[in-house]
Amino acid sequence: MHCRVPISLSVCALIVTGGVSGCEPVDPAETSRFAPHYRGVETQLLDGDLVSFHVVMTGARTTADVDRYAACAAAQYALIRGYGFARHLRTNIVEEGGIWRGDAVYTISAALPRGLKTIDAEVVAANCAENGIPMV
């Protein structure tokens, strides 16, 4: 997941821990052209703490925007279930005719899980709300 949103690098570092090096400021001109349309999230509990998120959007700039939408859904889902963390396992993204579809799988947990692609659900959900990215 890349962290190319108009937020400070310190907040970006809190959102994604370890193994990710895509945090960089965004040119304000690029942000003004970004007009996403979030078309929905479907969640599916796969097994215990394993959850699949299917997201659909238009107006994405890159796969990172779809990744971010799925991460927002995972963060809110973890909070709804009473957990504080999620760990990204995989995301498959396809784009066809301007419609981007993401199929992401996360584990959710009360404690910070092992692994490289972990998120603090409260921090990510707050950032998503601040940036107008809908959640579950």
Side-chain angles (χ1 to χ4, degrees):
M1 171 176 21
H2 292 335
C3 190
R4 285 185 42 85
V5 293
I7 58 176
S8 72
L9 289 177
S10 60
V11 172
C12 190
L14 289 173
I15 293 171
V16 182
T17 59
V20 179
S21 62
C23 292
E24 57 193 58
V26 174
D27 178 350
E30 180 181 327
T31 302
S32 66
R33 291 188 303 265
F34 181 47
H37 180 71
Y38 301 100
R39 301 177 84 182
V41 176
E42 291 182 22
T43 61
Q44 180 181 9
L45 183 61
L46 300 175
D47 184 39
D49 64 351
L50 192 62
V51 186
S52 174
F53 300 91
H54 297 270
V55 297
V56 179
M57 70 181 292
T58 57
R61 296 167 291 198
T62 67
T63 58
D65 293 327
V66 182
D67 272 334
R68 194 168 20 268
Y69 186 23
C72 290
Q76 185 65 32
Y77 184 89
L79 293 173
I80 288 169
R81 297 289 182 187
Y83 295 102
F85 300 93
R87 181 169 60 99
H88 178 255
L89 298 177
R90 67 134 175 95
T91 302
N92 295 319
I93 299 172
V94 297
E95 186 273 336
E96 186 174 312
I99 299 173
W100 294 77
R101 298 177 193 282
D103 172 17
V105 177
Y106 284 80
T107 59
I108 57 173
S109 62
L112 182 64
R114 297 178 78 174
L116 298 177
K117 296 182 179 182
T118 60
I119 61 173
D120 179 320
E122 285 186 24
V123 173
V124 172
N127 181 265
C128 295
E130 183 178 304
N131 285 288
I133 302 172
M135 296 171 276
V136 176

